[in-house]
């Protein structure tokens, strides 16, 4: 069995990540996006369809994400299992995807933003970097909306 998943090097800047990390990666994203008390259908769809299907993670992993108790999860514990220092830029990718997932329902709430900030603190990512990621996601969303309007 292949222990790695291939991801888009042009999008993420790397091409393979060990499969064992994706389960907890999704758990962390769910915990962050659920900080406002809800993981909305668009947020879950972003995780399972946009991210999960693009990575070809498999139905077993998607089922684990769908069944995960994000309301009682602890980000610190999840990150201990992830050990983000083993993969270059993993911490930044986590934050970027957390912002993207949280925005999937059209609302990046204050509680989700606080959860992203907590995640950044745990992962030792500078606040300025997080602010730049938020701006990037907002620009990407605007570009998507423009593309959909034109096409």
């Amino acid at each position: 069995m292949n222990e790695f998943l291939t991801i888009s090097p042009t999008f993420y800047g790397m091409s393979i990540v060990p499969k064992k990390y994706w389960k907890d990666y999704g758990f962390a994203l769910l915990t962050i996006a659920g900080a406002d008390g809800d993981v909305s259908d668009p947020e879950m769809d972003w995780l399972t369809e946009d991210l999960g299907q693009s990575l070809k993670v498999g139905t077993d992993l998607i089922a684990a994400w769908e069944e995960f108790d994000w309301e009682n999860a602890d980000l610190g514990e999840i990150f201990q299992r992830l050990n983000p220092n083993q993969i270059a830029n993993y911490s930044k990718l986590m934050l970027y995807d957390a912002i993207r997932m949280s925005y999937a329902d059209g609302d990046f709430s204050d509680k989700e933003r606080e959860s992203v900030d907590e995640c950044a603190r745990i992962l030792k990512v500078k606040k300025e970097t997080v602010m730049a990621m938020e701006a990037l996601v907002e620009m990407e969303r605007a570009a998507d909306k423009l593309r959909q309007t034109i096409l």
Side-chain angles (χ1 to χ4, degrees):
M1 172 169 55
N2 187 356
E3 295 182 24
F4 295 91
L5 287 175
T6 302
I7 61 176
S8 171
T10 56
F11 188 80
Y12 282 104
M14 64 178 82
S15 59
I16 60 171
V17 173
K19 282 183 182 178
K20 67 181 182 176
Y21 289 112
W22 289 111
K23 185 176 187 180
D24 284 322
Y25 190 88
F27 289 171
L29 294 176
L30 286 161
T31 303
I32 294 165
D36 61 356
D38 181 44
V39 174
S40 67
D41 288 341
E43 289 170 334
M44 184 59 82
D45 289 346
W46 183 90
L47 177 64
T48 59
E49 294 175 18
D50 293 356
L51 183 66
Q53 288 181 9
S54 71
L55 296 173
K56 299 178 180 83
V57 296
T59 56
D60 56 332
L61 185 54
I62 289 174
W65 288 342
E66 291 173 336
E67 296 169 10
F68 180 64
D69 182 12
W70 51 266
E71 292 174 290
N72 295 305
D74 181 298
L75 278 175
E77 289 177 19
I78 294 170
F79 290 137
Q80 284 179 338
R81 292 191 306 262
L82 275 171
N83 192 5
N85 296 326
Q86 289 186 339
I87 300 172
N89 296 321
Y90 202 66
S91 298
K92 291 178 183 176
L93 295 173
M94 166 68 66
L95 291 165
Y96 172 70
D97 280 343
I99 295 166
R100 291 176 41 196
M101 182 174 170
S102 294
Y103 258 122
D105 60 4
D107 179 38
F108 186 37
S109 73
D110 290 341
K111 290 191 184 259
E112 289 169 327
R113 187 172 271 110
E114 289 170 12
S115 189
V116 166
D117 289 343
E118 176 189 356
C119 179
R121 183 188 52 74
I122 292 168
L123 297 174
K124 297 179 174 92
V125 175
K126 294 177 183 178
K127 178 67 177 166
E128 297 80 21
T129 302
V130 175
M131 291 170 57
M133 288 180 200
E134 288 180 31
L136 174 61
V137 171
E138 289 171 3
M139 287 185 341
E140 290 171 341
R141 290 178 54 79
D144 288 344
K145 191 171 189 171
L146 177 60
R147 184 187 68 253
Q148 291 166 358
T149 301
I150 293 170
L151 302 177

